[in-house]
Amino acid sequence: MSLLEVTNLRVRYDTPRGPVWAVDQVSFKLDAGETVALVGESGSGKSTTALAILGLVAFSGGTVETGEIWFGGKNLLALREDELRAVRASEIALVFQDATAALNPFLTIGLQIAEVLEVHRGLSRREALVAAGKALGDVGIAEPEARLASFPHELSGGQRQRALIAMSLIAKPKVVIADEPTTALDPALALLVLDLLRREREQNGAGVLLVSHDLELVASEAKRVHVMYAGRVAESADADELFAAPWHPYTAALWRARPRLDGERPKRLAAVAGAPVDPAALPTGCAFHPRCEFVVERCRRERPDLSGLLRAEGAMSLRSGRRSACFEKERLALPREEASTP
Amino acid sequence: MTHFLARRALGLALTVWIVVTLAFLMMRLVPGGPFSAERRLPAAVAANVDARYHLDWPLWRQYVQYLGPLNVDTHGLFGDRERVFGGVLAGDLGPSFRHRDYTVNQILAESLPVSLALGSLALVWSIALGTVIGVVGAARRGSKLDLWLRMGSSLGIALPSFVIAGLLVLVFALTLGWLPVAGNTSFAHFVLPSLALGAPVAAYIARLVRTGLIEALSQDYIRTAIAKGLPFSTVVRRHALRGGLLPAISYLGPAAAGVLTGSLVIERIFAIPGTGSHFVASALDRDYTLALGVTIVYSVLIYSLNALVDLAYTRLDPRIALEEL
């Protein structure tokens, strides 16, 4: 059994323009000691999926409509609020992206870290502060005991980011959800964050759910990748397979659009053609069809389900669990020479 | 801290001086004088009265005499002829022009404690109740209870104080007979007026706390606190309340100054001899010295309370440093 298993998750937001399903029929698994990534543009539903795991979509006005989230033999979606509270930070922790916004400006760093241990481990304030000091030292903050009494604005950006991670991981959670952990960070800081997450995975056997739009990052960090588009999973595959040969036109377009440091520098960065999808007015059929270069008539009428290949490599795809929600995946998956040979 | 206090003391002196000067000039610009409302006096009598109150002096000399601290009075009305010091800077607000035989100092010494007592009572209950209502409304946002509380506070703001006072008297004094109708001889006499005086303040605080807290609760760091598995009560109390109270606290400075100096309407209805009625009456009567006296009291109070608010801000928000204020 997997450490964390999400099945058929569906999250609805009621907007003035009608209901919007930010997450629709999303399923994936996460095992201990591995990194799984959710990738997609803004509005693809990847962050909402992450928030739903800890029951935090209500905070932004969303409702989990259907689905199951299994963790430690319990369906998190069926838990009472106080049972869910015991899971938060203690078993499943969220690392938010912006440390400046995620830390409370009115409270000291020490208190913000210590209160996690007070509420989950029953430590006294003094014991918890000692542990918090250790945790700050572990993430590489100089003079950690002195920093306990500091307020967030008294720290540098890098120290804040370190403190936020120390706070998120202090209760040794089994699952770490990192929501865009490196977005808006300078490269050195991004490396630090990834390093700390990797350490958590390797030393403590935590499963890491990486939510990101950064394909390079995902390619280097994740074992398995789920590409999301308009609230649905467009393609699921192991990272090396996925980027070697995408089975979904959206993955292919995303991969082409990533900024490159090597090779010739293009005048303009490539972009995925067309406008990002409007979640309140989804197109009929496949949500990606207006932007797709492989579009056929069927795409406009029917919505493709996630499935493996029918022909040739179908057996292999079954084994690796590789799946794509595209009617024309064969055209992408099978090398053109092979398809054109008589 | 010393630095802050020194700067505020200097600011207070400067502000009050400007206020006094402007108020002095404005009072004199208004047509009519302290004695013009009475029946027309013979020219000789009018000249005598003017001379007695130094209204025959050039304006600059009246101003210098009023401000002090040197006594330039030669008649002895503003004090002893032999006295070296006099005027506002010597702590002497002068004689009242309308309340014969009373100095402004005496009038304020009698009426201000009454207003301060009534105002303090009103402030204490309105701050406490307003905060509780605001917090409950924000925590139960969108519920039936929240709706009722919001309607209540809208009423508290919209209803004029004479309506609230009238209703209170009708119900609690005349119908139920629990409390006296008017007067100021016992604590029971202060209950109804303090309710009427504090009602709009409580309502306003409730609204400010509610919106402030809702704003604070929508911050990213609140989501972090929830994701840490803290109980919602802890999230509100520890993480949201400080930020949520800031708007209400900045409103409290001017509001407290207004409540503490009394209200004409409340004092008239409940027959309470406070300062509030002097605010209006002295200006209408052209009682120059009394009008200036209450203006000084009010500006000192509002300036000090605002300094207190700033001080409270630095205690609540660690990002605001005392030295920068």
Side-chain angles (χ1 to χ4, degrees):
Chain A
M1 204 175 78
S2 297
L3 181 61
L4 180 75
E5 189 167 343
V6 174
T7 40
N8 288 327
L9 184 66
R10 211 164 132 95
V11 179
R12 189 190 69 228
Y13 282 88
D14 291 313
T15 72
R17 296 168 58 199
V20 167
W21 284 272
V23 176
D24 195 4
Q25 309 287 305
V26 168
S27 304
F28 62 90
K29 289 177 191 173
L30 174 68
D31 283 320
E34 74 169 12
T35 299
V36 166
L38 300 179
V39 191
E41 301 171 308
S42 340
S44 62
K46 56 190 195 305
S47 289
T48 307
T49 306
L51 291 175
I53 294 170
L54 280 181
L56 295 176
V57 286
F59 186 77
S60 46
T63 320
V64 175
E65 234 179 35
T66 57
E68 290 169 6
I69 298 175
W70 287 94
F71 171 81
K74 289 171 289 189
N75 177 8
L76 298 184
L77 293 178
L79 293 186
R80 290 195 316 267
E81 178 66 18
D82 58 323
E83 293 170 322
L84 195 56
R85 269 208 309 268
V87 174
R88 291 174 182 154
S90 169
E91 312 258 16
I92 302 178
L94 253 167
V95 178
F96 288 103
Q97 56 169 311
D98 179 0
T100 310
L103 290 171
N104 190 328
F106 297 101
L107 303 175
T108 61
I109 297 289
L111 173 62
Q112 296 191 55
I113 300 177
E115 65 181 357
V116 178
L117 294 175
E118 285 174 38
V119 71
H120 290 299
R121 301 287 177 263
L123 297 192
S124 70
R125 175 67 52 85
R126 190 178 304 171
E127 294 164 334
L129 280 173
V130 171
K134 277 208 197 80
L136 284 181
D138 285 347
V139 295
I141 286 184
E143 297 178 46
E145 278 78 26
R147 290 280 81 82
L148 289 176
S150 299
F151 289 97
H153 73 278
E154 294 167 337
L155 303 185
S156 71
Q159 286 176 320
R160 269 201 295 272
Q161 202 69 39
R162 286 171 198 260
L164 181 72
I165 290 182
M167 184 180 88
S168 310
L169 303 182
I170 192 158
K172 301 257 177 298
K174 298 194 181 79
V175 174
V176 177
I177 303 172
D179 186 8
E180 302 275 9
T182 60
T183 313
L185 297 188
D186 64 63
L189 215 48
L191 281 179
L192 167 87
V193 170
L194 291 176
D195 205 46
L196 292 170
L197 287 176
R198 217 175 285 143
R199 199 171 74 185
E200 192 64 20
R201 191 186 68 208
E202 283 162 6
Q203 291 180 2
N204 301 324
V208 176
L209 180 65
L210 179 63
V211 178
S212 180
H213 67 272
D214 183 345
L215 286 184
E216 298 273 5
L217 170 75
V218 165
S220 70
E221 292 298 316
K223 180 170 164 286
R224 194 161 178 88
V225 180
H226 305 276
V227 181
M228 292 187 66
Y229 187 79
R232 293 185 146 226
V233 175
E235 181 171 6
S236 293
D238 286 345
D240 43 357
E241 289 179 339
L242 182 87
F243 297 118
W247 281 9
H248 195 286
Y250 176 60
T251 318
L254 266 187
W255 187 242
R256 277 198 305 274
R258 77 195 189 279
R260 303 289 297 265
L261 288 176
D262 52 334
E264 205 176 311
R265 201 151 326 154
K267 282 224 175 61
R268 284 181 62 127
L269 285 174
V272 180
V277 68
D278 176 1
L282 285 184
T284 56
C286 172
F288 187 62
H289 88 253
R291 305 168 75 181
C292 183
E293 51 187 311
F294 293 88
V295 63
V296 295
E297 193 45 43
R298 192 181 174 198
C299 307
R300 301 183 218 277
R301 287 180 283 109
E302 278 178 59
R303 194 141 70 166
D305 287 322
L306 267 183
S307 62
L309 281 192
L310 294 174
R311 290 183 279 145
E313 290 171 33
M316 261 179 67
S317 78
L318 266 180
R319 204 166 358 133
S320 73
R322 182 166 193 193
R323 290 173 306 154
S324 156
C326 179
F327 293 127
E328 295 295 299
K329 51 182 165 276
E330 272 81 8
R331 268 164 73 194
L332 274 147
L334 303 177
R336 188 160 298 173
E337 306 83 66
E338 213 176 291
S340 58
T341 24
Chain B
M1 190 66 173
T2 338
H3 197 68
F4 169 80
L5 289 179
R7 222 161 11 160
R8 283 307 156 104
L10 200 71
L12 174 64
L14 199 68
T15 308
V16 172
W17 174 64
I18 292 171
V19 167
V20 166
T21 308
L22 285 177
F24 184 90
L25 291 175
M26 275 153 65
M27 284 298 291
R28 301 309 168 105
L29 280 176
V30 180
F35 311 107
S36 52
E38 288 166 28
R39 88 195 134 80
R40 187 166 288 281
L41 297 170
V45 177
N48 269 340
V49 169
D50 278 357
R52 185 173 142 76
Y53 287 94
H54 300 317
L55 293 173
D56 55 342
W57 283 2
L59 203 57
W60 68 266
R61 199 172 162 202
Q62 292 184 45
Y63 176 71
V64 168
Q65 167 65 34
Y66 180 71
L67 203 60
L70 286 177
N71 183 23
V72 293
D73 188 10
T74 45
H75 293 51
L77 178 73
F78 282 81
D80 274 328
R81 224 170 297 191
E82 286 80 33
R83 232 171 58 175
V84 183
F85 297 108
V88 174
L89 285 173
D92 180 6
L93 296 169
S96 166
F97 281 45
R98 297 289 295 219
H99 304 263
R100 309 249 156 92
D101 306 326
Y102 280 97
T103 66
V104 174
N105 287 38
Q106 283 169 334
I107 292 173
L108 288 177
E110 268 176 28
S111 64
L112 205 53
V114 179
S115 287
L116 287 179
L118 179 59
S120 309
L121 191 64
L123 270 184
V124 167
W125 81 258
S126 60
I127 291 172
L129 186 70
T131 308
V132 169
I133 288 179
V135 170
V136 169
R140 298 257 179 282
R141 182 186 182 183
S143 67
K144 274 246 169 61
L145 181 64
D146 178 34
L147 192 73
W148 282 108
L149 291 176
R150 268 162 65 201
M151 268 168 57
S153 45
S154 294
L155 269 181
I157 292 170
L159 282 181
S161 52
F162 56 83
V163 174
I164 294 178
L167 286 174
L168 287 172
V169 169
L170 192 67
V171 174
F172 294 102
L174 297 178
T175 309
L176 295 170
W178 292 351
L179 292 160
V181 174
N184 69 323
T185 43
S186 73
F187 178 77
H189 284 95
F190 274 24
V191 174
L192 290 184
S194 91
L195 286 178
L197 191 60
V201 180
Y204 218 83
I205 288 176
R207 282 172 74 125
L208 286 172
V209 169
R210 181 181 176 274
T211 36
L213 202 54
I214 284 173
E215 162 73 18
L217 281 170
S218 72
Q219 298 293 318
D220 277 2
Y221 57 77
I222 298 300
R223 196 176 61 177
T224 314
I226 296 173
K228 286 199 280 189
L230 302 177
F232 188 63
S233 56
T234 310
V235 172
V236 171
R237 198 162 26 82
R238 190 182 290 167
H239 285 266
L241 202 55
R242 280 167 174 242
L245 286 182
L246 290 180
I249 285 176
S250 44
Y251 158 75
L252 264 182
V259 170
L260 289 174
T261 46
S263 137
L264 167 77
V265 176
I266 302 294
E267 287 172 9
R268 283 281 156 86
I269 292 175
F270 292 100
I272 289 169
T275 323
S277 40
H278 293 309
F279 270 94
V280 181
S282 63
L284 291 177
D285 294 345
R286 311 280 187 274
D287 191 339
Y288 295 145
T289 43
L290 184 56
L292 284 169
V294 291
T295 306
I296 288 171
V297 167
Y298 188 73
S299 51
V300 168
L301 211 56
I302 204 165
Y303 193 93
S304 314
L305 286 166
N306 274 331
L308 210 61
V309 163
D310 285 348
L311 208 59
Y313 253 77
T314 64
R315 299 292 113 179
L316 283 171
D317 191 341
R319 287 167 298 182
I320 299 171
L322 200 57
E323 296 76 48
E324 286 158 23
L325 292 173

